[in-house]
Amino acid sequence: WPAPVIRAVLMSSLGLLAYYSGRENSLLNALAISGLVILLIDPDSLFNISFQLTFLATWGLVYLFPIVREHISYKSWAIDLILIPLSAELAVLPLIAYNFNLFTPSSILSNILVTYLSGGAVILGFIAFLLAPLIPSLASLVLFPAGMFIEMILYIVQLVKNIPGAYLWVATPAIGMIGLYYLALFSAILALRSS
């Protein structure tokens, strides 16, 4: 399985294990354990872009987002709707530029629009997976709205992609610049945590 799938399965399993054993579910620890397990199985994964992106984006969600949210006085679901994809984007920005030569300001908008649709598609797909061996006709019925969600996601992404300035081609950043970016990001996190 690809690294993002293994990470998600391991983190979910650890979360369920923590819940059913009455322990606190530490997402950051689950992320670290998932990374260690994947690297023990295949150390070369560290140099795979899908491994790097899934772990950095998830780190942005489970570590960066709570810190940023804590320092915003106005709390609402609308603010969270912006902060969640922004946190993931801040974590992966240099890697996207380095590997794909892209800067995509529109990704925040597209993530806001498709997050719940993709969650719905995954949940429906999982339900259909469980139903398929037992009641195949019901499984195919459940897959219909899942497919509709996927079609909606593709349509929204196509619309957002056509917005002027939705993505910009950029030069490949130097490794030193990427290091400076993450140094600045960690410095900002330390400043927020100490304030």
Side-chain angles (χ1 to χ4, degrees):
W1 290 353
V5 174
I6 299 171
R7 179 204 52 76
V9 168
L10 287 172
M11 287 186 71
S12 300
S13 300
L14 289 168
L16 287 171
L17 186 64
Y19 176 78
Y20 285 113
S21 63
R23 295 174 183 250
E24 180 186 346
N25 182 14
S26 171
L27 292 173
L28 204 54
N29 286 343
L31 180 66
I33 291 168
S34 300
L36 287 173
V37 168
I38 292 171
L39 290 174
L40 284 172
I41 294 168
D42 180 15
D44 286 340
S45 293
L46 184 62
F47 305 103
N48 188 314
I49 185 64
S50 67
F51 176 91
Q52 296 166 9
L53 288 175
T54 192
F55 277 91
L56 276 174
T58 307
W59 173 83
L61 297 174
V62 302
Y63 184 74
L64 189 57
F65 166 70
I67 292 171
V68 172
R69 187 174 190 270
E70 185 180 307
H71 288 83
I72 293 179
S73 56
Y74 183 71
K75 309 275 191 243
S76 82
W77 65 269
I79 295 294
D80 289 351
L81 205 59
I82 296 166
L83 286 180
I84 289 170
L86 180 62
S87 298
E89 182 76 18
L90 286 172
V92 299
L93 195 63
L95 277 185
I96 299 289
Y98 183 81
N99 288 286
F100 305 107
N101 297 102
L102 282 174
F103 172 64
T104 54
S106 64
S107 63
I108 303 296
L109 175 62
S110 62
N111 280 328
I112 289 169
L113 296 173
V114 305
T115 297
Y116 295 106
L117 290 172
S118 60
V122 168
I123 290 167
L124 288 170
F126 183 71
I127 291 169
F129 174 75
L130 294 176
L131 287 173
L134 305 171
I135 314 167
S137 57
L138 187 57
S140 60
L141 193 62
V142 171
L143 282 175
F144 180 75
M148 187 180 68
F149 286 169
I150 292 169
E151 290 297 325
M152 290 168 68
I153 290 167
L154 294 172
Y155 180 74
I156 290 168
V157 168
Q158 191 64 33
L159 276 179
V160 172
K161 185 182 88 168
N162 290 327
I163 296 172
Y167 61 92
L168 306 168
W169 294 105
V170 295
T172 303
I175 299 294
M177 291 302 291
I178 294 172
L180 283 175
Y181 174 87
Y182 284 114
L183 182 64
L185 183 62
F186 284 115
S187 299
I189 290 168
L190 288 174
L192 283 174
R193 290 188 71 184
S194 62
S195 64

